[in-house]
Amino acid sequence: MRPRITHPKAAVTTRATAALAAGCAGLLLALAGCGSPSAADGPSSPSSPPSSSTSDGKNGDTPPKAQARSWAGTARIPVPRGTGSRVPYDFNGDGHRDLVIDDLVKAPENSHGDDAGIGIVYGSADRPLDPAARQLLSARANAAKSGDTLPVAFDAETACDLDRDGFTDLVVSTDPPYNGIGAPPVPLQILFGSPAGLTGKAATVRIPQQARFGNEWPEQPVCGDFDGDGRTDLAVTASAGQVTFLHGPFSRTGAPRSAELLPDGGPYLYAPEPKADTDGDGYDDLVAATRPHAPGQAAEGTLLLGSAKGPARPGGTYAFRAEHLPEAPLTTTARTRTLLLDHGDYDGDKKPDTVVRTYRGERQDLIALYAAGNTGEPVLTFSTALFLP
Ligand SMILES: [Ca+2]
Ligand SMILES: [Ca+2]
Ligand SMILES: [Ca+2]
Ligand SMILES: [Ca+2]
């Protein structure tokens, strides 16, 4: 397949605008005044079977099938400028939650498996997310160097406001060079939020020597106010099941206020779901596990309760519950997989919405946002192909 976005900019914009106007049902922007959402119950079945072929989007641009496609190449709008907020995952501080997409479809010419980067789609006052307000983050553009070397990997791990300026910061993991001798370098970096969103270069997380242990990579960063002082902290793994506890706030150079080593943990760390403070005592809690846990899937771990000393009080067994995930209406006859991207309030009604990514291989996907309590019909869908250069 050829790259899709070879059109001159104007043509693309026109096409996208036309699709926008014509394809309310297709775009599923139910909130944008395209008739009642329930009208979608009917037309979605016989007239536009989801299994029809889409691998070439060229056959006539019929509105219902233009959906995910039409976002690719959509003209970008500037990231809305904010002044700071306490909303989670609000990188530009405008009070609307933003979406992090760690896995993006790859361009056909990207055959050597280069990291496609991290996609950010910003929230908006008019709709839960606005795919036109987006940013592509990459190691080349945004990573800090390790010595002279720019990392290749750049993966989103978690996000929280680590320097307390009202703009959520993104914690990423990278692959700095390591010669295998002694403790490896810290692979975690912080990209700080700002009125213009996530911009500029990340800062490497500084972990003081006394808070490190063994020769494993410090990984699995989890945000939370584990010591209950109102400032967001980070917990990361150390070797032999220990936990490095980094007290917030962090400086712009990536240094925590202080750091220490906690003896009990595990090789995988997670925040409890859906509430980080499981017992409501004002201290966020942490889950340590011996095996990786995918969001939305069942898993067991050990609860480490927050306290003035951090996530150090044993809290017994903790179970993540499996969840039935809606599948984004990706039009393909092939087998697809669906991953939970996030639960969070994107439309401002204080209830957690659901965002999933349904994909086939590395070239085809659809992100779908479902409003709380309605996983039948997505409010918004788009393909991450819109991040392709
Ligand atoms: Ca925002
Ligand atoms: Ca911040
Ligand atoms: Ca704290
Ligand atoms: Ca607690």
Side-chain angles (χ1 to χ4, degrees):
M1 284 284 112
R2 271 165 290 120
R4 230 173 283 126
I5 311 159
T6 51
H7 313 266
K9 200 174 179 184
V12 172
T13 310
T14 312
R15 201 178 51 138
T17 313
L20 254 174
C24 282
L27 288 161
L28 298 165
L29 292 169
L31 302 178
C34 302
S36 75
S38 61
D41 294 342
S44 66
S45 16
S47 57
S48 57
S51 54
S52 64
S53 102
T54 47
S55 33
D56 62 66
K58 297 212 166 224
N59 49 357
D61 256 352
T62 42
K65 287 180 195 157
Q67 45 186 36
R69 269 310 119 111
S70 58
W71 283 110
T74 298
R76 279 194 189 175
I77 61 165
V79 171
R81 287 184 75 85
T83 54
S85 84
R86 306 204 66 165
V87 170
Y89 279 73
D90 184 7
F91 303 110
N92 59 338
D94 66 348
H96 304 292
R97 189 183 182 101
D98 311 315
L99 177 67
V100 179
I101 311 166
D102 198 36
D103 290 308
L104 306 175
V105 293
K106 288 181 176 161
E109 62 270 22
N110 179 1
S111 52
H112 33 270
D114 282 358
D115 193 324
I118 301 166
I120 309 290
V121 174
Y122 286 85
S124 124
D126 308 329
R127 62 181 81 143
L129 284 169
D130 184 356
R134 61 183 185 266
Q135 280 174 333
L136 177 65
L137 309 174
S138 66
R140 185 187 296 258
N142 303 104
K145 282 184 177 173
S146 176
D148 289 339
T149 311
L150 205 54
V152 176
F154 204 60
D155 295 311
E157 295 285 346
T158 186
C160 47
D161 187 5
L162 289 168
D163 64 345
R164 302 188 85 220
D165 65 351
F167 301 91
T168 302
D169 313 309
L170 183 67
V171 183
V172 296
S173 61
T174 65
D175 56 351
Y178 171 47
N179 61 11
I181 299 166
V186 177
L188 303 172
Q189 303 189 354
I190 305 169
L191 193 54
F192 289 96
S194 78
L198 294 167
T199 59
K201 293 281 181 188
T204 300
V205 174
R206 319 257 163 203
I207 304 183
Q209 206 48 51
Q210 86 274 3
R212 291 198 65 176
F213 182 78
N215 290 342
E216 284 167 38
W217 295 84
E219 287 172 327
Q220 303 274 313
V222 178
C223 292
D225 181 12
F226 303 109
D227 58 6
D229 66 354
R231 293 154 176 144
T232 304
D233 317 305
L234 270 186
V236 305
T237 56
S239 301
Q242 304 205 39
V243 171
T244 296
F245 176 40
L246 305 169
H247 295 256
F250 285 68
S251 73
R252 283 293 182 130
T253 57
R257 182 169 56 85
S258 62
E260 64 207 279
L261 208 50
L262 303 177
D264 297 313
Y268 299 96
L269 300 177
Y270 301 98
E273 297 164 1
K275 282 206 168 78
D277 181 5
T278 56
D279 54 1
D281 65 354
Y283 300 96
D284 285 343
D285 310 316
L286 183 68
V287 178
T290 52
R291 292 195 298 175
H293 155 60
Q297 312 227 327
E300 273 206 352
T302 306
L303 190 61
L304 298 165
L305 293 166
S307 70
K309 294 192 168 117
R313 278 195 304 136
T317 302
Y318 183 86
F320 289 102
R321 271 189 270 157
E323 175 183 348
H324 176 74
L325 295 178
E327 274 175 42
L330 176 67
T331 18
T332 173
T333 49
R335 234 181 118 78
T336 59
R337 296 192 62 193
T338 297
L339 293 180
L340 175 63
L341 287 194
D342 191 32
H343 281 307
D345 177 20
Y346 288 89
D347 55 12
D349 67 356
K350 306 264 194 311
K351 291 184 242 165
D353 311 313
T354 299
V355 187
V356 298
R357 177 176 185 252
T358 296
Y359 63 96
R360 185 182 80 90
E362 294 191 319
R363 302 280 158 79
Q364 223 187 342
D365 76 350
L366 198 62
I367 305 279
L369 168 70
Y370 296 85
N374 180 8
T375 49
E377 195 71 35
V379 175
L380 173 80
T381 64
F382 62 90
S383 166
T384 65
L386 59 82
F387 287 101
L388 289 175

